[in-house]
Amino acid sequence: TKKRVWNGREWKSVGRAGKKWEDHRIPKWMHLPSMPKSSMLYNWDEAKKFDTLVLVEGPFDVHKTGLCAAGYFGERPSVHQVKLIKNSFDRVLWIPDRGIDLEGKAFLRVVDSISEACRLTIKKLEDYDDPGAATRWDISNHIRKMLKP
């Protein structure tokens, strides 16, 4: 089995080397070295204009979710990203990807930190691996359900 990946310069066909894809060392997100991904949230400038933040993993998730969403580029937001969120929002809806362990220690530390300053609701999508794979209709319905008291 082969897949095509962008390595930052060109598209390349890669296959599996044992259990890992040959491209496992190519970073998932490209950014400037002087601007680490842990210091920014994707779509932050637009998301700040809303009363409620919808927190998702990455750019594809943000584009499917809408302007009220911000992406944190990883399994969970960094300490710096959490500070930005806590200083800007009273209400946060977090839609983690399906593969994220909601009981993991690192995840729970982030939850506790955000919850200190924000009303936080966390709920995975039921029929999709992540918001980027869902329809806009399903994401809208999911958000509506999360907003109910």
Side-chain angles (χ1 to χ4, degrees):
T1 305
K2 294 268 188 186
K3 69 176 183 175
R4 306 246 323 135
V5 296
W6 178 256
N7 67 6
R9 294 180 308 278
E10 63 188 3
W11 286 99
K12 182 179 171 186
S13 288
V14 297
R16 287 193 180 266
K19 292 185 178 184
K20 293 184 178 181
W21 286 96
E22 292 172 350
D23 68 332
H24 71 277
R25 287 193 176 93
I26 297 173
K28 186 173 180 182
W29 308 112
M30 298 289 186
H31 56 87
L32 295 171
S34 61
M35 195 170 176
K37 65 182 181 178
S38 63
S39 70
M40 62 185 141
L41 288 157
Y42 184 79
N43 196 47
W44 183 243
D45 291 339
E46 290 299 320
K48 285 191 307 189
K49 297 175 185 175
F50 292 82
D51 294 330
T52 299
L53 173 68
V54 179
L55 194 57
V56 294
E57 191 239 341
F60 296 113
D61 301 333
V62 168
H63 287 286
K64 277 292 186 87
T65 304
L67 294 175
C68 61
Y72 48 87
F73 302 103
E75 287 189 14
R76 61 194 161 276
S78 69
V79 171
H80 180 75
Q81 292 166 329
V82 168
K83 284 180 187 174
L84 288 172
I85 294 164
K86 288 167 62 171
N87 290 331
S88 302
F89 289 95
D90 295 322
R91 180 81 194 263
V92 177
L93 308 178
W94 189 352
I95 308 175
D97 288 357
R98 183 178 290 187
I100 299 300
D101 177 13
L102 300 183
E103 302 299 321
K105 287 182 183 179
F107 183 85
L108 292 174
R109 271 195 304 274
V110 173
V111 168
D112 289 343
S113 183
I114 293 174
S115 296
E116 290 171 356
C118 305
R119 191 165 139 217
L120 176 63
T121 305
I122 304 167
K123 189 169 192 283
K124 293 181 182 182
L125 285 164
E126 294 168 12
D127 298 326
Y128 301 95
D129 288 337
D130 62 40
T135 65
R136 286 182 185 246
W137 175 261
D138 287 339
I139 292 171
S140 295
N141 286 334
H142 187 74
I143 290 170
R144 273 195 276 294
K145 289 176 188 174
M146 291 175 80
L147 286 169
K148 289 184 180 177

